[in-house]
Amino acid sequence: MTYCVGLKLKAGLVLLSDTRTNAGIDNIGRFRKMFVFEDPGERVVALMTAGNLGITQGVVTKIEATVKRSLVDSDIESVMTCETLYRAAQLVGEAMHEVQARDRARIESQGAAADATVILAGQRRGGEMRLFQIYSAGNFIEATDDTPFLQIGEHKYGKPILDRVIRPDTPLDDAIKAALVSMDSTLRSNLSVGMPLDLLVIKADHCRASFSQRIEQDHREFRQISDSWANALREAFHGLPTIRL
Amino acid sequence: MTYCVGLKLKAGLVLLSDTRTNAGIDNIGRFRKMFVFEDPGERVVALMTAGNLGITQGVVTKIEATVKRSLVDSDIESVMTCETLYRAAQLVGEAMHEVQARDRARIESQGAAADATVILAGQRRGGEMRLFQIYSAGNFIEATDDTPFLQIGEHKYGKPILDRVIRPDTPLDDAIKAALVSMDSTLRSNLSVGMPLDLLVIKADHCRASFSQRIEQDHREFRQISDSWANALREAFHGLPTIRL
């Protein structure tokens, strides 16, 4: 499995993904699940993927190939040249639909699962920040102020902390902490999600990758957050009132 | 869905279940999912159930009927008269197998899910405390010191706190708090789990229900734990180190 989370705050977008893949518990791999397309100051589009790796690699390959062609041929529409980010989500949905149409029946006939989901986040100059989740069928939803985050993959372990702290006006550094705590809870409880992590921050109206980092096992600040959170939870827990029997 | 959790500590057993059932999101019900059989000082056996409600009610009805008959006919073996708690888990597994054999194909032909799981916890005089999880196929596993808790239903939201604080030597009042915090996280993040709750504590070697309570929405101590936990999490969160961009 996978865990990826995207947060859309007034201050910007925060994306965090893990890198573990597994085909059965005895076949573990490490694959980047975050892909960034950038024309700094003009447009930034980031994708995160979950689900069948062959399917998601097929989708990303299609998107990448079309972006490359669109840079030399203005008749070609890609996520970097299309009019809006909404249209970019549609293009990812169309790529997903094509790959599913090609591969799904064959995958399922082998007893494997072909489902896949993609988070698309970004902004173009003059547009709003957008955060979408594209499903296997190619349809998609968008994050709003009521629900300013989207998760794909193993989303349940890390949802409670996001439910508690993420609001549209959460500052970026708090949002990064919340994403890391959400990932930390998932890493501790589910072996199918694993280090290293990829973190991307896109500040509002900068239309570029403002901050991007691979977080390895020994990353000092992530370890600090993980350890501080563990200690703080233990303290918080022991401070709770007791139910008298 | 459902969330039930059973903890096996050196000091005793702690069981907690919700009461929400749903057949689709527009058909919500309230059903007790915890069932206790007790011959105080001699034996206590508690069941908690998750999954298809028709299946689990079928299983519990069979177990209850057999217990009643076994009290007047010593030739009949029930969870209250069988030699060991291991055998009691087998009897629940056999009841599950019978109900699945009777109903599963028909349920699945309607496109519904027939899966169900049962947690069995208890102790007989002279025996050890035991905590089992019985699956749809009638097979089962037992909690051990390495993994002193079992969860059924919507288990993911509430697992991180249990992973962090539950050890075999956790005292009973801490274990109760942990179970309630685990349930509180699940209630906040998943509508298919709902109040009221049923809490049962079986102290080691007492072989009786030491403490049993229905916890309604307005239960003062549960509200205190829920609110204190929310505040403590927020404080803990804001005390985390910041990752500098």
Side-chain angles (χ1 to χ4, degrees):
Chain A
M1 280 289 279
T2 289
Y3 179 48
C4 301
V5 55
L7 313 174
K8 193 180 87 170
L9 302 319
K10 285 177 186 149
L13 294 154
V14 174
L15 306 184
L16 182 67
S17 59
D18 84 318
T19 50
R20 184 158 294 174
T21 63
N22 66 298
I25 191 66
D26 56 348
N27 189 354
I28 301 287
R30 180 197 280 204
F31 287 88
R32 170 174 275 269
K33 299 167 192 172
M34 184 186 289
F35 306 90
V36 186
F37 303 92
E38 193 184 13
D39 178 4
E42 286 296 319
R43 181 179 302 207
V44 57
V45 174
L47 305 179
M48 294 189 292
T49 62
N52 182 295
L53 184 64
I55 295 277
T56 60
Q57 288 188 337
V59 171
V60 172
T61 301
K62 267 185 191 287
I63 299 294
E64 281 175 343
T66 312
V67 166
K68 275 185 195 155
R69 286 190 295 130
S70 74
L71 298 181
V72 293
D73 179 348
S74 62
D75 285 345
I76 291 180
E77 186 184 34
S78 78
V79 297
M80 289 305 281
T81 62
C82 59
E83 202 160 328
T84 64
L85 268 283
Y86 184 89
R87 178 65 188 144
Q90 276 185 327
L91 291 173
V92 174
E94 286 168 19
M96 175 70 81
H97 175 71
E98 285 168 33
V99 176
Q100 291 281 356
R102 188 186 70 196
D103 295 345
R104 189 177 184 93
R106 279 190 254 173
I107 294 168
E108 290 185 340
S109 75
Q110 304 289 324
D115 281 340
T117 42
V118 178
I119 284 178
L120 182 153
Q123 189 174 18
R124 62 180 173 85
R125 188 160 61 87
E128 301 290 320
M129 287 181 295
R130 310 291 287 267
L131 176 63
F132 296 99
Q133 177 171 340
I134 296 104
Y135 296 98
S136 292
N139 60 325
F140 54 87
I141 60 169
E142 180 171 13
T144 65
D145 280 359
D146 285 328
T147 304
F149 62 87
L150 295 173
Q151 305 169 283
I152 56 177
E154 283 288 353
H155 61 281
K156 294 187 180 182
Y157 306 98
K159 186 165 184 286
I161 186 66
L162 302 177
D163 283 336
R164 287 179 196 269
V165 305
I166 295 299
R167 303 288 174 268
D169 54 3
T170 301
L172 278 181
D173 50 359
D174 276 358
I176 293 167
K177 278 192 258 185
L180 291 170
V181 167
S182 174
M183 180 65 79
D184 184 53
S185 297
T186 311
L187 289 166
R188 279 174 189 255
S189 289
N190 194 308
L191 272 186
S192 75
V193 177
M195 302 283 289
L197 313 176
D198 289 305
L199 172 65
L200 174 68
V201 179
I202 298 170
K203 290 187 184 170
D205 302 328
H206 284 215
C207 299
R208 59 163 55 83
S210 314
F211 179 79
S212 161
Q213 188 161 46
R214 169 143 295 196
I215 296 175
E216 297 279 355
Q217 198 71 254
D218 58 355
H219 186 278
R220 198 174 55 86
E221 285 157 312
F222 179 63
R223 287 263 61 83
Q224 277 180 354
I225 285 187
S226 177
D227 295 344
S228 304
W229 185 242
N231 291 334
L233 278 190
R234 266 192 296 273
E235 274 174 38
F237 181 79
H238 290 296
L240 288 179
T242 296
I243 290 208
R244 275 184 304 280
L245 297 192
Chain B
M1 280 291 278
T2 289
Y3 179 48
C4 301
V5 55
L7 313 174
K8 192 180 86 168
L9 302 319
K10 286 179 185 147
L13 294 155
V14 174
L15 307 184
L16 182 67
S17 58
D18 83 318
T19 51
R20 183 157 294 173
T21 63
N22 66 299
I25 190 67
D26 56 347
N27 190 354
I28 301 287
R30 182 197 278 203
F31 287 87
R32 171 175 275 271
K33 299 167 192 172
M34 185 187 288
F35 306 89
V36 185
F37 304 91
E38 193 184 12
D39 178 3
E42 286 295 321
R43 180 179 303 207
V44 57
V45 174
L47 305 179
M48 295 189 291
T49 62
N52 183 293
L53 185 63
I55 295 277
T56 60
Q57 288 187 338
V59 172
V60 171
T61 301
K62 267 184 191 287
I63 299 295
E64 281 175 342
T66 312
V67 166
K68 275 185 195 155
R69 286 190 294 131
S70 73
L71 298 181
V72 293
D73 180 348
S74 62
D75 286 345
I76 292 180
E77 185 185 35
S78 78
V79 297
M80 289 303 282
T81 62
C82 59
E83 203 159 328
T84 64
L85 269 283
Y86 185 89
R87 178 66 189 144
Q90 277 186 325
L91 290 173
V92 174
E94 286 169 19
M96 175 70 81
H97 176 69
E98 285 169 33
V99 177
Q100 290 281 357
R102 188 187 70 196
D103 295 346
R104 188 176 185 94
R106 280 189 252 171
I107 293 168
E108 289 185 339
S109 75
Q110 304 287 324
D115 281 339
T117 42
V118 178
I119 284 177
L120 182 154
Q123 190 175 18
R124 62 181 174 84
R125 188 159 61 87
E128 300 290 320
M129 289 182 294
R130 309 292 287 266
L131 176 64
F132 296 98
Q133 175 171 340
I134 297 104
Y135 297 98
S136 294
N139 59 326
F140 53 87
I141 60 169
E142 179 170 14
T144 65
D145 280 359
D146 285 327
T147 303
F149 62 88
L150 296 173
Q151 306 169 283
I152 56 177
E154 283 288 354
H155 61 281
K156 294 188 181 181
Y157 306 99
K159 185 166 185 286
I161 187 65
L162 302 177
D163 282 336
R164 286 178 196 270
V165 305
I166 296 299
R167 303 288 174 269
D169 54 2
T170 301
L172 278 182
D173 51 358
D174 277 357
I176 293 167
K177 279 193 257 185
L180 290 170
V181 166
S182 174
M183 180 65 80
D184 184 52
S185 298
T186 311
L187 289 167
R188 280 175 188 254
S189 290
N190 193 307
L191 273 186
S192 74
V193 177
M195 302 281 288
L197 312 176
D198 289 305
L199 171 66
L200 174 68
V201 180
I202 298 169
K203 290 188 184 170
D205 301 329
H206 284 214
C207 299
R208 59 164 54 83
S210 314
F211 179 78
S212 159
Q213 187 161 47
R214 169 143 295 195
I215 296 175
E216 296 281 354
Q217 198 72 252
D218 59 354
H219 186 278
R220 198 173 55 84
E221 284 157 313
F222 179 62
R223 288 263 60 85
Q224 277 179 356
I225 285 186
S226 177
D227 295 344
S228 306
W229 185 243
N231 292 334
L233 278 191
R234 266 191 295 273
E235 274 173 39
F237 182 77
H238 290 296
L240 289 180
T242 296
I243 289 207
R244 274 184 305 279
L245 298 192

